[in-house]
Amino acid sequence: QVHLVESGGGLVQAGGSLKLSCAASGRTINSYSMGWFRLAPGKEREYVAAITPGGGTAYSTGSVKDRFIISRDNTKNTASLQLNSLKPEDTAVYYCAAARNWGNMVLTTTYNYWGQGTQVTVSS
C-alpha cells in the first residue's frame, strides 16, 4: 500500500505562486508514475500533470501548461507541483496520485493510489 499526503495548499492572490508537495509512505514510489489532478466545485476531476519514475513529464494541454511544473525527488519519496501565475479559475482541491504503470495518465483509472487533497484558493 502507498499512502499519499498532499500539503502546501492555501489562499493566494491572483498572480501568486504555491508549491504543493505529495509525501508518500508505506513503500517507495521510485517505480511509480505520479500524477496531479484537481477538482473544482461543480466540475469533474481534471488532469493537471504526470511524471515518470525517471522524471519525464506530461502536462495538460489546457490553461495550466507553461504555468505549472511537476517534479519529484525519489530520495525523499515525494512529488511536487509548482503553481505559478495563479488565476482564480485555478481554485480547486489538488490531488496527487500514484500509478504502477505509465499509461493514459489523463484517466483517473490509471492510478492505484490517491491522496486526500489540498485546497488551493486564488483570490482576484
Side-chain angles (χ1 to χ4, degrees):
Q1 283 283 342
V2 176
H3 184 55
L4 303 174
V5 178
E6 302 94 334
S7 62
L11 174 63
V12 64
Q13 288 189 329
S17 298
L18 283 174
K19 186 170 185 177
L20 308 183
S21 295
C22 175
S25 61
R27 64 191 306 172
T28 179
I29 57 170
N30 291 3
S31 63
Y32 285 75
S33 295
M34 302 298 294
W36 286 91
F37 286 73
R38 65 184 183 183
L39 181 61
K43 295 187 177 181
E44 293 186 354
R45 193 169 296 201
E46 177 190 16
Y47 166 77
V48 175
I51 188 167
T52 68
T57 59
Y59 292 91
S60 164
T61 56
S63 65
V64 305
K65 196 174 184 297
D66 299 327
R67 295 190 297 122
F68 294 0
I69 302 171
I70 190 172
S71 62
R72 65 189 300 158
D73 187 338
N74 288 338
T75 66
K76 296 181 179 178
N77 223 30
T78 60
S80 299
L81 186 67
Q82 177 71 40
L83 313 178
N84 299 318
S85 302
L86 282 161
K87 305 174 182 180
E89 52 263 43
D90 294 318
T91 294
V93 178
Y94 284 72
Y95 298 88
C96 73
R100 293 191 189 96
N101 301 298
W102 183 269
N104 188 339
M105 305 308 284
V106 174
L107 299 178
T108 58
T109 52
T110 299
Y111 300 84
N112 305 100
Y113 303 100
W114 290 84
Q116 84 291 345
T118 185
Q119 176 71 48
V120 171
T121 303
V122 185
S123 63
S124 57

